Amino acid sequence: HKLFDRYDDCGKYIYDIAITKFIMDGYLKQNNITKKVKYYLGILNSEYIYDGVSDFEEVNNEEVISFIDMNYILNDYKDLIFEEYNKIINNIFLKKIEDTYSKACKEDCPYKKVCFPFLNNLDSVESLLVPKKIKIDSQPYDVIDLINMGYKHITDIPKEYLDNKNHIIQRNCIDSDEEYFNKEDIRNSIKENIEYPIYHLDFEAFQSPLPRFKGEKPYMQSVFQYSIHIQRKPLVCDEKLDNYYFIPNDFLDHRKELVEKMIKTIDLSSGGIVLVYNKNFEYSRIKEFMEFYPEYKKELQNILNHMVDLLDIVRKNKNSDTISFYHKNLHGSYSIKKVLPVFTDMSYSELEVKNGVEAQVAYAKFKYLPKEDIQVLRESLIKYCGQDTYSMFKILSKLYIKSQD
């Protein structure tokens, strides 16, 4: 049953509540507290649209959130939680770490690389390129199966089991310690997709459980910042002089101002493209802007019509299923933070804001800090978002040079 599957999208929340109840019951019993505690699962209405005016205390609760009584279900969960509790206590007493790799490990457990140190290696089976399955005797096995069968590294898998072209390329890169670079594919991708000027674009957004501004829904990605680096010809773009950005001085609604300034900066009247990395995020945000500000629908649609995904150029030509580039240091990932160190000596490690989560945390502080402290955070956010767009220029330049050799 999905409600009792801790890995299911619904079951994981009920599992969390069951753990909370187990801890609370123990605390109440230990302290001889007879107070009755009830447990509910609150579900936000993903279709609720904030009108930008109403106070949430005045809004009908059922419009925004529903509460589901979990007490009956949690009683049935009691034995399962107690069993897991005993297992944990036993492992602590025996100083034992579970040696079975499970779905719990795969779901981004923060301690899995402690339990399974081999996952830190660049050739761990977990870094298999998609599809992350290997056929053995015509039977497909995923990463969990492979690890528990003893195939901890990609090099542990017999070569005859590799029938996917991308897996073979990945294995050869690991064995030879050399990168794979298909010059023709990448050269063709650049020729087909790149047109100058290039507007390298990146957004930063804030997710709030309750929508903050008019038109937003719960947990909607609310854009508060962008960076644009304008590249007017091959290999030429100044990190500072060619950088255009927007970021507010407070925690208020500046979305329309952001959209207007972005449209003014991205001038496609004489051609050009808008280059992003992993297109879905920026594309989706601009579609939302079109709903918020229909008066700018034409200009925003024009940006979408000229949007190109650099990830597709790095990873593979659109006319092929085979990757165009691979390096063992990618560890199976084509995220910009994995690709950048392969092509350049640039790094995010020395920045004050190093990733999207830290960017959200920094922006959230705008609500509470004095202006002088906000300005310090603004500078950190400008550098972080600017590095994303300048990194795109550097990656594209390296691809361009290597494909011409």
Side-chain angles (χ1 to χ4, degrees), residues 373-390:
D373 291 340
I374 289 176
Q375 186 57 35
V376 173
L377 287 177
R378 282 184 80 253
E379 291 300 321
S380 297
L381 286 164
I382 289 168
K383 288 180 181 178
Y384 168 69
C385 196
Q387 176 140 317
D388 276 348
T389 48
Y390 193 66

Side-chain angles (χ1 to χ4, degrees), residues 76-88:
D76 293 338
Y77 234 119
K78 186 175 180 180
D79 291 342
L80 176 61
I81 299 298
F82 192 71
E83 180 182 329
E84 295 210 359
Y85 166 79
N86 284 330
K87 185 191 294 185
I88 292 171

Side-chain angles (χ1 to χ4, degrees), residues 216-253:
E216 293 185 343
K217 298 178 180 180
Y219 284 110
M220 179 176 276
Q221 295 275 11
S222 181
V223 178
F224 64 88
Q225 177 184 8
Y226 71 67
S227 173
I228 297 172
H229 268 89
I230 302 179
Q231 180 185 354
R232 296 177 174 83
K233 59 183 180 179
L235 309 180
V236 179
C237 182
D238 189 275
E239 185 173 5
K240 293 184 178 179
L241 297 179
D242 292 320
N243 185 215
Y244 301 80
Y245 56 82
F246 178 91
I247 183 169
N249 293 302
D250 51 47
F251 203 60
L252 302 177
D253 187 359

Side-chain angles (χ1 to χ4, degrees), residues 167-181:
H167 290 164
I168 294 171
I169 291 172
Q170 186 178 22
R171 172 64 179 269
N172 289 339
C173 288
I174 294 169
D175 287 346
S176 66
D177 199 21
E178 295 179 359
E179 70 176 22
Y180 172 80
F181 193 94

Side-chain angles (χ1 to χ4, degrees), residues 15-211:
Y15 181 80
D16 285 347
I17 298 173
I19 293 288
T20 301
K21 182 179 185 303
F22 181 82
I23 295 171
M24 283 296 297
D25 286 350
Y27 173 81
L28 295 173
K29 183 177 180 180
Q30 185 177 359
N31 291 276
N32 297 314
I33 300 174
T34 58
K35 182 178 180 180
K36 186 74 172 178
V37 179
K38 292 188 176 182
Y39 298 85
Y40 297 86
L41 175 63
I43 301 177
L44 286 169
N45 176 11
S46 62
E47 297 304 313
Y48 171 78
I49 300 176
Y50 183 43
D51 62 13
V53 179
S54 301
D55 187 323
F56 284 113
E57 292 183 2
E58 299 172 357
V59 174
N60 183 348
N61 280 343
E62 293 182 0
E63 290 183 48
V64 185
I65 189 168
S66 300
F67 292 96
I68 301 175
D69 190 334
M70 290 284 105
N71 295 283
Y72 177 77
I73 294 174
L74 296 183
N75 287 333
D76 293 338
Y77 234 119
K78 186 175 180 180
D79 291 342
L80 176 61
I81 299 298
F82 192 71
E83 180 182 329
E84 295 210 359
Y85 166 79
N86 284 330
K87 185 191 294 185
I88 292 171
I89 293 299
N90 188 53
N91 287 345
I92 292 173
F93 179 75
L94 296 175
K95 297 182 179 179
K96 175 187 174 183
I97 292 178
E98 288 286 341
D99 57 2
T100 301
Y101 186 84
S102 69
K103 194 172 181 180
C105 308
K106 186 180 177 183
E107 298 298 323
D108 293 323
C109 170
Y111 305 107
K112 65 182 178 181
K113 291 184 179 180
V114 175
C115 299
F116 306 100
F118 66 86
L119 293 175
N120 292 289
N121 297 342
L122 295 174
D123 67 339
S124 72
V125 169
E126 199 177 54
S127 68
L128 265 175
L129 290 170
V130 176
K132 292 179 175 287
K133 291 186 178 182
I134 300 293
K135 285 185 179 179
I136 301 176
D137 297 329
S138 300
Q139 176 69 34
Y141 293 92
D142 63 16
V143 169
I144 295 174
D145 297 323
L146 291 168
I147 290 176
N148 290 325
M149 291 165 67
Y151 300 116
K152 297 180 179 180
H153 305 90
I154 293 175
T155 51
D156 293 335
I157 302 171
K159 286 189 175 181
E160 57 267 27
Y161 291 169
L162 303 177
D163 59 1
N164 179 281
K165 289 182 180 179
N166 293 335
H167 290 164
I168 294 171
I169 291 172
Q170 186 178 22
R171 172 64 179 269
N172 289 339
C173 288
I174 294 169
D175 287 346
S176 66
D177 199 21
E178 295 179 359
E179 70 176 22
Y180 172 80
F181 193 94
N182 188 319
K183 291 184 181 180
E184 183 179 358
D185 271 3
I186 291 178
R187 185 165 57 243
N188 288 338
S189 290
I190 292 174
K191 184 178 180 180
E192 292 168 10
N193 293 284
I194 299 302
E195 178 185 345
Y196 296 93
I198 300 173
Y199 297 90
H200 300 268
L201 172 67
D202 181 70
F203 288 146
E204 296 302 326
F206 183 80
Q207 274 190 308
S208 175
L210 292 176

